[in-house]
């Protein structure tokens, strides 16, 4: 399987995927850490993929989305953005709305 196919299968088989530096429990960069913190606050489970484990993955995810940086967040197979976008969406409540619309449980909100 090519790296692009592997990335594709990961984003399509998990509700929320974060390509990050480090792991959900031990982020190795502040940008990845902010995203991890947001999903922890929301109580939303996600699959973390540590790009520091593989340079092929680190370059491959940037090629997959044509987005130059990490972290990268996917919801139900769709690329949402990086740290700044997700933080702004969290602050405005848009992220919570997006997750709910996709049927993903968010803490403190009734799921539809
Ligand atoms: N403004 C970015 C911050 C992320 C960022 O600048 N990431 C850098 C440093 S961790 C990066 O991924 N550089 C390319 C690389 O490390 O491969 C965002 O919103 O996600
Ligand atoms: S690893 Fe240095 S800013 Fe992310």
């Amino acid at each position: 399987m090519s790296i692009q196919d592997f990335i594709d299968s990961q984003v399509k088989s998990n509700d929320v995927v974060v390509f990050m530096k480090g792991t959900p429990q031990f982020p190795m960069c502040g940008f990845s850490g902010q995203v991890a913190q947001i999903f922890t606050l929301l109580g939303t489970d996600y699959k973390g993929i540590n790009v520091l484990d593989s340079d092929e993955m680190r370059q491959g995810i940037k090629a997959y989305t044509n987005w130059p940086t990490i972290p990268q967040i996917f919801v139900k197979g769709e690329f949402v953005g990086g740290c700044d976008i997700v933080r702004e969406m969290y602050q405005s409540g848009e992220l919570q709305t997006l997750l709910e619309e996709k049927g993903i449980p968010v803490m403190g909100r009734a799921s539809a």
Side-chain angles (χ1 to χ4, degrees):
M1 200 192 268
S2 75
I3 190 76
Q4 295 300 316
D5 287 344
F6 179 76
I7 291 168
D8 206 50
S9 71
Q10 288 298 313
V11 305
K12 287 178 177 159
S13 62
N14 295 283
D15 282 349
V16 181
V17 185
V18 180
F19 291 81
M20 62 191 297
K21 295 187 179 180
T23 64
Q25 278 170 335
F26 295 103
M28 300 295 285
C29 168
F31 297 119
S32 291
Q34 284 184 43
V35 173
Q37 194 188 3
I38 286 167
F39 284 118
T40 299
L41 287 167
L42 290 175
T44 299
D45 278 337
Y46 63 98
K47 169 98 179 250
I49 296 179
N50 183 1
V51 305
L52 298 179
D53 282 344
S54 150
D55 200 55
E56 205 191 354
M57 182 67 80
R58 182 173 178 171
Q59 304 314 327
I61 187 58
K62 291 182 275 191
Y64 182 78
T65 49
N66 202 23
W67 182 262
T69 52
I70 289 140
Q72 297 195 17
I73 296 86
F74 293 78
V75 174
K76 290 271 186 184
E78 280 174 32
F79 178 53
V80 177
C83 169
D84 295 346
I85 289 173
V86 163
R87 191 186 57 242
E88 281 161 23
M89 287 175 73
Y90 170 70
Q91 285 165 352
S92 70
E94 235 181 300
L95 180 63
Q96 294 87 325
T97 301
L98 172 74
L99 292 167
E100 279 175 5
E101 279 173 3
K102 305 274 186 183
I104 298 164
V106 176
M107 208 178 268
R109 292 224 181 179
S111 52

